[in-house]
């Protein structure tokens, strides 16, 4: 993510740019019980870059969800379990309840609707 994209307009969208960031965010998700979705992507992944603008738009459309973007290259320790990019993980009451591999705006929208 370039060009100052780390600071997002939407308050429910966070970007983890280090392992420490992502660890802190995961702790917050577990503690707050707020429903959340984490988008694990990579700057070199074409599909990740295509879905990211939609992910950011959806963060405005689903204000009850916390949205997180984590680049697997910037957070190598905390994302070593991620095998595909993009991977979307959905959390409810501090627990991971769902996972979606790959993009697809409509699929993602439906999953977000389901978990919001």
């Amino acid at each position: 993510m370039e060009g100052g994209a780390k600071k997002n307009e939407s308050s429910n969208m966070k970007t983890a740019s280090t392992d420490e960031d992502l660890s802190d965010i995961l702790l917050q998700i577990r503690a707050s019980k707020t429903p959340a979705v984490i988008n694990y992507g990579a700057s070199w992944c074409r599909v990740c870059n295509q879905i990211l603008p939609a992910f950011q738009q959806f963060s405005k459309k689903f204000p009850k969800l916390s949205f997180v973007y984590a680049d697997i290259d910037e957070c190598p320790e905390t994302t070593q379990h991620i095998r595909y990019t993009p991977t979307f993980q959905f959390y409810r009451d501090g627990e991971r309840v769902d996972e979606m591999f790959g993009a697809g705006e409509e699929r993602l929208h439906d999953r977000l609707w389901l978990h919001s």
Side-chain angles (χ1 to χ4, degrees), residues 93-108:
D93 295 326
E95 299 292 322
R96 190 171 83 203
V97 293
D98 196 6
E99 192 167 50
M100 179 181 129
F101 303 108
E105 236 175 276
E106 204 170 306
R107 273 177 66 218
L108 180 58

Side-chain angles (χ1 to χ4, degrees), residues 69-111:
Y69 176 77
D71 187 307
I72 61 168
D73 294 326
E74 293 178 358
C75 310
E77 296 298 312
T78 44
T79 62
Q80 56 187 324
H81 61 286
I82 300 297
R83 296 283 165 252
Y84 306 99
T85 56
T87 292
F88 298 89
Q89 291 181 343
F90 300 86
Y91 289 81
R92 182 176 286 136
D93 295 326
E95 299 292 322
R96 190 171 83 203
V97 293
D98 196 6
E99 192 167 50
M100 179 181 129
F101 303 108
E105 236 175 276
E106 204 170 306
R107 273 177 66 218
L108 180 58
H109 178 276
D110 292 349
R111 231 30 169 306

